[in-house]
Amino acid sequence: MKPAFWARRAHKWIGLIIGVQALLWMLSGVYMTVVPLDVIHGDHLAHVHGDPLPPQTARVGADVLVARYPQLQSFRLKHVLDREVYEVQQGGGKFLVDAASGERVPPLDRDAAIALAKSLYQGKGEVTRVEWITRAPSEVKTRPVPMWAVHFADSGDTTLYLSPDNGELLARRHSLWRWFDFLWMFHIMDYENRSDVNNTLLRVASVVGLGFALSGIWLLFYSFGKRRPA
């Protein structure tokens, strides 16, 4: 049989195999280019206020912190719920220390988590429910547990995840982010963790797609190069 025959067959069958995945690549790519990345990240829904700290406030010094927390690695001053605190890093964790007294601040309870989430939230929805999470859901699987999840009743079903130990905003999640994550799974063909962009399945699909393109080029040159009787 002529080479063109095999090129047509290869092009047809490869197209059937790779066509659906190519469509998913294009659809997910369109979504990723149309929706701005800062919207996906939820920067418009919640952010940490960078208000300047008053210089005249009485605070304990670094020597006091080192004396009370001898394994201290670093610390920084910040506001949490209108209270000046030091965020202290010690060992593998972080916790808060009252800037005026040097005493360790207890982890955020439910009411404090709600108040903090409301102070960070920039939308118009009300808090619908609050969860204490000890096993991270897939959408925040890389964040440390335990954490608070505060859900808001807005058009995007916004959820703010907060650290009880240092009051850090761990993640913002909403419907546009969740759609992005869903489409990203198809885009990189990692259906388990949605993070491995070098997985075997993606590599195989890429090679098959390359074969589809090369067989099409072969047919293109064959069609233009074929002589037809006058």
Side-chain angles (χ1 to χ4, degrees):
M1 294 182 181
K2 295 181 179 181
F5 171 80
W6 293 110
R8 288 194 188 94
R9 296 200 67 176
H11 192 71
K12 178 179 69 176
W13 288 107
I14 294 174
L16 288 175
I17 295 171
I18 202 65
V20 174
Q21 181 58 44
L23 178 62
L24 291 172
W25 279 334
M26 288 184 285
L27 289 175
S28 56
V30 168
Y31 184 87
M32 294 170 191
T33 55
V34 168
V35 183
L37 194 57
D38 57 344
V39 173
I40 297 296
H41 288 165
D43 295 341
H44 62 294
L45 293 173
H47 64 264
V48 179
H49 302 283
D51 298 331
L53 297 171
Q56 72 275 11
T57 303
R59 310 182 185 108
V60 298
D63 55 339
V64 176
L65 291 177
V66 172
R68 292 194 179 185
Y69 310 99
Q71 296 182 339
L72 179 148
Q73 295 173 312
S74 64
F75 66 92
R76 67 187 181 98
L77 187 65
K78 67 178 188 178
H79 266 137
V80 174
L81 295 175
D82 298 325
R83 180 182 185 180
E84 281 193 2
V85 294
Y86 288 113
E87 181 185 85
V88 174
Q89 181 169 354
Q90 180 176 282
K94 297 178 182 179
F95 57 88
L96 300 179
V97 171
D98 186 272
S101 66
E103 298 294 329
R104 184 165 178 169
V105 177
L108 298 178
D109 59 16
R110 184 179 186 277
D111 291 338
I114 293 174
L116 180 58
K118 286 182 175 180
S119 71
L120 299 173
Y121 180 61
Q122 302 298 305
K124 298 180 180 179
E126 297 294 328
V127 173
T128 56
R129 59 191 176 96
V130 181
E131 294 180 274
W132 174 251
I133 294 177
T134 56
R135 184 175 180 180
S138 60
E139 66 180 19
V140 287
K141 60 187 175 184
T142 61
R143 304 302 194 270
V145 291
M147 67 177 77
W148 287 107
V150 183
H151 303 270
F152 291 85
D154 56 20
S155 59
D157 293 325
T158 300
T159 302
L160 301 185
Y161 293 92
L162 306 170
S163 168
D165 296 321
N166 62 355
E168 181 183 354
L169 176 60
L170 297 174
R172 316 165 184 87
R173 296 294 181 258
H174 57 111
S175 57
L176 291 177
W177 185 95
R178 295 178 180 112
W179 271 110
F180 179 93
D181 187 52
F182 180 71
L183 293 171
W184 177 250
M185 173 184 68
F186 289 105
H187 197 74
I188 65 172
M189 302 183 72
D190 181 3
Y191 301 105
E192 184 177 357
N193 297 316
R194 305 185 184 185
S195 59
D196 186 5
V197 297
N198 292 310
N199 63 81
T200 302
L201 186 58
L202 180 60
R203 292 177 179 178
V204 171
S206 300
V207 171
V208 173
L210 178 61
F212 179 73
L214 292 176
S215 63
I217 293 173
W218 188 359
L219 286 174
L220 180 66
F221 279 104
Y222 175 80
S223 298
F224 278 100
K226 185 177 179 181
R227 293 179 178 273
R228 296 184 180 180

